[in-house]
């Protein structure tokens, strides 16, 4: 009884929150709805008795959406609405609707066919974290390691991209001065060409 | 130490102690060494120790620094120029003012106004004497020019009141007759404050 | 590993709902009171450390200063700036305060006890989930949305800078907190606070085995609760008040209740994970020990505030990514190796 009430509360609030994420023109509302939607999803994990996954969902998505906030802060004025460009609203609606329909069919087919089974049911007395660890390091070891490798590659790429010119300061370094000089020269060239034209 | 040593402003020739400051690190290895050195230096804990010592000093050794102002006041320097006091003659209890009007003349912000008349003994008597403290700049000329030391600057610096007139009348500034024995003579322009001895501290140069 | 879990599962006596409710009320009442009272303690201790008297005139020794502040905050005008995002602006302080108290639901504060003359057992945790420590850290991380949203919604440049600092500071120090508690988690083999406590019942405190993890956790805890060496979010000299610039009245007060509750939570985690929890120590009963430990960690935060200066934002990030995180990773590696051998 309580679980049903909790499930429908979480379900309705998740749906509404993600609808706001998609519909809202205000970046702050969209992001906040996204973050709280993620928190609501973790409620489902708790309902199913998967405490560990629920907490991981909470921690990971809280951090991830916070990084998104960083981008929002850099690109948009958070207190204003954003003008969106809709080139072809009908097409967007059609494709989006079709995709949603497809997802519904994919996910509801096994439910209708009664083929939903827990591959790794919760064992009494074994903690959640242990169960996840067992599965992760036996059956799914290769995907897990591949994912770790990909993240490592991404991290190194990020460091290289961001850290190219970290070693010298823009204000004191001679190399930077030279760069500025070159840029000024370029600017001057462009202006002269403009003048000649 | 003679006076000449203080007059010598030639920085280069005096025995200044140069601070032994490290150069900022240039290479990565130097930076690393600096970090390690700073990590294992107990400086942060020295800081914690200092604050804890001060707390013990304040709580248990009576070195609390707070003056609870409206309830206790620090003694004020005699040089301080606050609301004026009108003094009395100690012998007769009569006020010292002879009504010469010099203070009114010299007042540069024109805030003193007085009216005088001859009393029955053909002696000048002050019938009206007010200082407009909205205008007074507390320059002290009136006290300086007074031939009888009748008007001096007192130590009353709490000037908030409901009405400006509350402390600008002659009677308000006059020493109350029952407190004549407490009347302080003006200590003079170079006088030091009564708690000057307590305030003398060794300067940082002595460390 | 499995056996310890069985032990806790069977050793737990029956917990009835009244016990849980009493515990919840106890936590709410005690922690909310302490969180409010913390402002008084902070002002008093900072004053003593600077040889001042601190709040003095409201009540005996200024003890009723809290009531005076409360009345002031409640009756103050609640200003919402004209161009702010009003909805988000209004809920941001609630997020901070609410998450701080939700985190406390999974934190054991006192040992189990039975109310005298009844059979009602009050458990040590209001809700003993198996992943307590992760839940508390996650909830504290969620609480950081308060400052972030507050800064972004108020349409004020100081607020924006404050929330940008929130994002970088907390994203970075999350990593250090997680990695630093990872080593004790590996040793205990569980994520439940009760297991942490039971692990230290007979043996030494975990801080003896994991001194580096303890120091790292404290540093990261200071950063996450926004305390002085790392209080860049509302650094007065640089950015007025950061994310609370436009707030007034009780909304402003909620941020501070949240902050003080978080300080207590960090203190509780530090004392349970590293400092022996609520076990009896020699002849001293456990509940006195845990109160003493929490009080000391609270005092330590104030002490540090009186003694140490702020750091610059770039120094903060440098410290996190180039010093603390590698140290934490090395610590985890060494712990793993030792456990394996």
């Amino acid at each position: 009884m309580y679980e049903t009430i909790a499930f429908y509360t979480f379900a309705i609030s998740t749906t509404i929150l993600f609808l706001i994420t998609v519909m809202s023109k205000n970046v702050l509302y969209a992001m906040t709805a996204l973050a709280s939607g993620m928190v609501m999803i973790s409620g489902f994990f708790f309902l199913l008795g998967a405490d560990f996954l629920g907490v991981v969902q909470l921690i990971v998505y809280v951090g991830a959406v916070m990084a998104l906030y960083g981008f929002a802060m850099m690109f948009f004025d958070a207190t204003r609405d954003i003008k969106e460009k809709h080139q072809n609203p009908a097409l967007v609606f059609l494709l989006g609707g079709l995709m949603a329909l497809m997802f519904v069919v994919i996910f509801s087919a096994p439910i209708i066919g009664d083929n939903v089974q827990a591959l790794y049911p919760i064992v009494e007395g074994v903690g959640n974290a242990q169960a996840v660890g067992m599965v992760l390091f036996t059956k799914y070891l290769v995907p897990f390691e591949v994912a770790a490798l990909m993240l490592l590659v991404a991290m190194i790429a990020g460091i290289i991209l961001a850290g190219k010119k970290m070693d010298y300061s823009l204000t004191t370094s001679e190399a930077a001065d030279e760069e500025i000089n070159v840029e000024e020269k370029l600017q001057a060239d462009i202006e002269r060409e403009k003048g000649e034209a | 130490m003679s006076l000449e040593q203080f007059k010598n402003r030639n920085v280069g020739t005096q025995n200044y102690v140069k601070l032994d400051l490290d150069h900022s690190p240039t290479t990565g290895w130097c930076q690393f060494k600096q970090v390690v050195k700073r990590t294992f230096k107990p400086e942060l804990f020295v800081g914690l120790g200092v604050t804890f010592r001060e707390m013990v000093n304040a709580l248990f050794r009576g070195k609390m620094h707070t003056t609870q102002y409206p309830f206790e006041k620090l003694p004020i320097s005699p040089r301080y120029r606050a609301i004026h006091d009108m003094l009395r003659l100690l012998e007769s209890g009569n006020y010292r003012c002879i009504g010469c009007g010099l203070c009114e003349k010299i007042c540069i912000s024109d805030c003193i106004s007085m009216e005088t008349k001859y009393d029955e003994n053909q002696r000048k008597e002050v019938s009206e004497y007010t200082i407009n403290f909205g205008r007074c700049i507390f320059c002290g000329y009136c006290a300086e020019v007074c031939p009888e030391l009748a008007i001096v600057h007192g130590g009353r610096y709490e000037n908030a009141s409901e009405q400006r007139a509350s402390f600008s009348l002659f009677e308000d500034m006059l020493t109350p007759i029952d407190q004549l024995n407490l009347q302080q003579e003006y200590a003079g322009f170079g006088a030091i404050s009564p708690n000057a001895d307590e305030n003398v501290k060794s300067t940082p140069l002595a460390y | 590993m499995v056996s310890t879990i069985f032990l806790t599962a069977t050793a737990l006596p029956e917990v009835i709902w009244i016990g849980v409710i009493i515990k919840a009320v106890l936590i709410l009442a005690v922690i909310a009171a302490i969180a409010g009272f913390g402002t008084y303690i902070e002002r008093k201790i900072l004053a003593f450390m600077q040889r001042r008297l601190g709040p003095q005139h409201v009540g005996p020794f200024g003890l009723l200063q809290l009531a005076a502040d409360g009345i002031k905050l409640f009756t103050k005008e609640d200003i919402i700036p004209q161009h702010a995002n009003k909805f988000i602006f209004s809920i941001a302080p609630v997020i901070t305060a609410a998450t701080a108290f939700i985190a406390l639901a999974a934190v054991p504060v006192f040992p189990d006890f039975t109310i005298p003359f009844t059979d009602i057992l009050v458990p040590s945790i209001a809700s003993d989930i198996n992943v307590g420590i992760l839940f508390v850290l996650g909830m504290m991380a969620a609480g950081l949305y308060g400052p972030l949203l507050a800064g972004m919604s108020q349409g004020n440049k100081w607020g924006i800078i404050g929330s940008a600092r929130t994002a970088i500071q907390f994203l970075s120090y999350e990593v250090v907190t997680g990695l630093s508690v990872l080593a004790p988690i590996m040793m205990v083999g569980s994520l439940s606070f009760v297991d942490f406590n039971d692990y230290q019942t007979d043996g030494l405190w975990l801080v003896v085995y994991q001194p580096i993890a303890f120091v790292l956790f404290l540093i990261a805890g200071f950063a996450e609760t926004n305390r002085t060496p790392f209080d860049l979010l509302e650094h007065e000299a640089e950015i007025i008040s950061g994310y609370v610039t436009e707030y007034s009245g009780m909304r402003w007060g909620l941020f501070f209740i949240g902050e003080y509750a978080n300080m207590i939570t960090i203190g509780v985690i530090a004392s349970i994970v590293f400092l022996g929890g609520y076990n009896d120590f020699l002849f001293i009963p456990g509940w006195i020990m845990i109160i003493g430990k929490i009080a000391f960690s609270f005092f330590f935060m104030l002490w540090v505030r009186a003694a140490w200066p702020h750091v610059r934002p770039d120094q903060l990030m440098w410290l996190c990514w180039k010093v603390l995180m590698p140290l934490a990773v090395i610590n985890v590696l060494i712990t793993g190796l030792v456990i394996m051998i």
Side-chain angles (χ1 to χ4, degrees):
Chain A
M1 177 26 194
Y2 288 120
E3 275 165 15
T4 323
I5 294 175
F7 172 77
Y8 280 111
T9 317
F10 283 128
I12 292 169
S13 54
T14 312
T15 319
I16 291 176
L17 284 168
F18 282 125
L19 268 179
I20 293 173
T21 312
V22 180
M23 303 287 193
S24 174
K25 281 181 181 170
N26 187 313
V27 66
L28 206 52
Y29 281 136
M31 306 282 309
T32 312
L34 182 65
S36 35
M38 291 297 181
V39 174
M40 289 298 165
I41 283 183
S42 77
F44 292 117
F45 286 105
F46 284 113
L47 274 183
L48 292 172
D51 298 351
F52 182 74
L53 284 181
V55 170
V56 166
Q57 162 92 14
L58 207 79
I59 293 178
V60 168
Y61 280 100
V62 159
V65 179
M66 200 175 266
L68 273 183
Y69 269 102
F71 287 112
M73 216 182 292
M74 286 186 267
F75 294 141
F76 302 110
D77 180 355
T79 50
R80 301 243 169 85
D81 285 355
I82 289 160
K83 270 187 194 163
E84 291 179 73
K85 270 187 211 161
H86 292 299
Q87 302 262 333
N88 196 343
L91 187 67
V92 172
F93 187 76
L94 188 72
L95 286 180
L98 277 180
M99 244 152 80
L101 195 68
M102 216 152 79
F103 276 121
V104 170
V105 170
I106 288 172
F107 284 113
S108 59
I111 299 175
I112 294 169
D114 264 347
N115 280 335
V116 183
Q117 286 163 354
L119 276 179
Y120 301 97
I122 295 173
V123 185
E124 271 305 312
V126 175
N128 240 290
Q130 283 91 341
V132 171
M134 288 293 178
V135 178
L136 214 54
F137 285 101
T138 51
K139 188 170 178 190
Y140 296 109
L141 180 64
V142 177
F144 182 66
E145 291 297 328
V146 169
L149 199 72
M150 276 168 64
L151 284 177
L152 185 69
V153 169
M155 195 173 82
I156 292 172
I159 290 172
I160 288 172
L161 280 179
K164 247 185 196 167
K165 287 175 186 167
M166 260 183 176
D167 283 344
Y168 35 76
S169 142
L170 273 175
T171 46
T172 55
S173 151
E174 286 176 23
D177 283 347
E178 257 169 45
E179 212 164 86
I180 291 167
N181 287 338
V182 170
E183 267 180 21
E184 275 174 0
K185 228 178 258 171
L186 270 178
Q187 203 68 34
D189 283 348
I190 292 167
E191 271 167 24
R192 202 173 54 224
E193 273 170 23
K194 264 187 196 165
E196 279 169 8
Chain B
M1 200 183 274
S2 63
L3 199 62
E4 276 168 35
Q5 262 177 308
F6 291 110
K7 285 185 172 173
N8 182 6
R9 304 261 163 90
N10 203 352
V11 175
T13 57
Q14 290 183 344
N15 357 329
Y16 277 89
V17 180
K18 292 234 171 94
L19 286 178
D20 189 21
L21 288 178
D22 294 337
H23 295 288
S24 52
T26 47
T27 62
W29 175 241
C30 292
Q31 271 177 343
F32 179 73
K33 275 196 296 188
Q34 192 189 34
V35 168
V36 172
K37 212 166 91 186
R38 285 184 181 170
T39 307
F40 292 105
K41 244 186 194 173
E43 273 171 345
L44 285 176
F45 298 98
V46 172
L48 285 181
V50 168
T51 42
F52 197 80
R53 190 188 65 212
E54 289 309 315
M55 186 170 81
V56 172
N57 277 345
L59 285 178
F60 304 115
R61 297 193 191 139
K63 287 191 182 172
M64 198 63 90
H65 218 283
T66 307
T67 309
Q68 287 172 285
Y69 161 63
F71 306 112
E72 50 176 342
K73 291 177 186 170
L74 292 178
I76 200 163
S77 164
R79 303 184 196 184
Y80 193 80
R81 298 198 290 257
I83 298 291
H84 308 68
D85 276 341
M86 290 292 172
L87 302 187
R88 287 180 191 270
L89 288 168
L90 289 175
E91 295 86 349
S92 64
N94 206 348
Y95 53 79
R96 291 184 188 175
C97 183
I98 53 169
C100 64
L102 276 175
C103 50
E104 188 187 16
K105 282 258 162 25
I106 201 164
C107 182
I108 53 172
S109 54
D110 210 9
C111 62
I112 300 178
S113 65
M114 62 192 295
E115 279 172 26
T116 53
K117 64 175 189 216
Y118 289 108
D119 65 0
E120 62 268 23
N121 301 329
Q122 289 296 301
R123 205 167 164 273
K124 269 270 183 78
E125 185 189 44
V126 184
S127 56
E128 287 291 332
Y129 191 100
T130 58
I131 301 178
N132 182 352
F133 284 108
R135 298 181 62 110
C136 179
I137 59 165
F138 299 97
C139 60
Y141 282 177
C142 48
E144 206 166 330
V145 81
C146 182
E148 298 289 315
L149 280 179
I151 179 168
V152 295
H153 277 294
R156 191 153 67 105
Y157 50 83
E158 288 160 324
N159 294 353
S161 81
E162 286 168 15
Q163 294 174 19
R164 197 181 294 169
S166 301
F167 43 80
S168 63
L169 296 176
F170 188 61
E171 288 75 26
D172 295 323
M173 293 180 280
L174 200 60
T175 312
I177 189 75
D178 51 337
Q179 286 172 23
L180 190 58
N181 53 341
L182 300 176
Q183 178 175 290
Q184 296 282 320
E185 204 54 51
Y186 182 54
F189 282 110
I192 55 172
S193 55
N195 64 338
D197 283 348
E198 299 164 29
N199 286 343
V200 172
K201 284 182 189 134
S202 48
T203 58
L205 290 175
Y207 296 143
Chain C
M1 195 191 300
V2 174
S3 64
T4 53
I5 291 155
F6 267 120
L7 268 181
T8 50
T10 50
L12 272 179
E14 234 170 293
V15 176
I16 52 171
W17 59 275
I18 294 184
V20 175
I21 286 179
I22 290 175
K23 185 72 189 181
V25 170
L26 206 70
I27 287 179
L28 259 184
V30 171
I31 306 283
I34 294 176
F37 203 57
T39 54
Y40 168 77
I41 297 171
E42 169 155 24
R43 288 166 69 177
K44 227 27 184 178
I45 286 180
L46 284 185
F48 291 152
M49 288 190 166
Q50 294 154 0
R51 286 207 265 149
R52 295 183 287 114
L53 282 171
Q56 180 84 5
H57 298 298
V58 192
F61 306 105
L63 273 169
L64 294 178
Q65 186 70 40
L66 173 64
D69 286 345
I71 292 168
K72 188 197 88 174
L73 285 181
F74 269 112
T75 51
K76 225 173 151 179
E77 187 189 354
D78 180 27
I79 300 168
I80 297 180
Q82 199 179 5
H83 293 295
N85 190 331
K86 293 189 179 54
F87 178 66
I88 305 273
F89 186 85
S90 317
I91 61 164
V94 183
I95 294 177
T96 311
T99 49
F101 283 105
I102 294 173
L104 280 166
V107 161
V109 184
F110 301 117
D112 299 341
F113 65 92
T114 337
I115 294 175
F117 312 120
T118 55
D119 290 337
I120 301 167
L121 177 99
V122 179
S124 59
I125 308 185
S127 143
D128 182 16
I129 51 175
N130 279 323
V131 286
I133 187 160
L134 282 187
F135 179 77
V136 173
L137 292 180
M139 231 44 227
M140 284 182 69
L144 311 178
Y145 275 103
L148 187 77
L149 292 175
M152 283 183 77
S153 64
Q154 62 188 229
N156 175 317
K157 56 188 167 189
W158 309 117
I160 281 281
I161 296 174
S163 57
R165 286 181 175 191
T166 316
I168 55 157
Q169 178 169 330
F170 292 139
L171 280 180
S172 318
Y173 277 86
E174 267 307 82
V175 177
V176 180
T177 326
L179 284 175
S180 64
V181 285
L182 193 56
I185 289 173
M186 283 159 67
M187 287 185 69
V188 177
S190 166
L191 293 166
S192 163
F193 279 116
V194 177
D195 290 345
F196 272 102
N197 181 62
D198 295 343
Y199 184 84
Q200 303 169 77
T201 304
D202 303 318
L204 286 166
W205 291 359
L206 262 173
V207 66
V208 182
Y209 303 111
Q210 294 286 351
I212 296 177
F214 179 61
V215 172
L216 290 179
F217 179 77
L218 272 191
I219 295 175
F222 274 93
E224 288 213 24
T225 47
N226 182 20
R227 295 299 301 174
T228 274
F230 309 120
D231 66 341
L232 303 167
L233 278 66
E234 32 175 326
H235 205 184
E236 282 193 3
E238 289 171 8
I239 50 170
I240 316 293
S241 230
Y243 63 93
V244 282
T245 306
E246 296 284 0
Y247 279 91
S248 69
M250 206 51 216
R251 288 191 205 283
W252 181 86
L254 278 178
F255 276 119
F256 279 79
I257 291 176
E259 187 184 322
Y260 281 94
N262 272 338
M263 280 166 73
I264 294 169
T265 315
I266 285 284
V268 176
I269 298 177
S271 13
I272 288 189
V273 174
F274 292 102
L275 298 177
Y278 46 82
N279 292 307
D280 299 350
F281 184 73
L282 301 178
F283 59 92
I284 310 167
W287 62 276
I288 292 186
M289 280 307 284
I290 187 87
I291 289 178
K293 285 167 200 167
I294 296 171
F296 177 75
S297 63
F298 196 86
F299 173 75
F300 185 69
M301 287 182 167
L302 308 182
W303 190 7
V304 163
R305 181 171 179 186
W308 295 354
H310 305 278
V311 295
R312 283 200 316 260
D314 63 318
Q315 288 170 332
L316 182 86
M317 302 308 288
W318 176 88
L319 183 73
C320 175
W321 292 109
K322 289 192 176 170
V323 182
L324 299 182
M325 204 196 62
L327 269 179
V329 171
I330 291 169
N331 187 39
V332 167
L333 267 181
I334 292 173
T335 314
L337 280 178
V338 170
I339 289 177
M340 232 162 58
I341 294 163

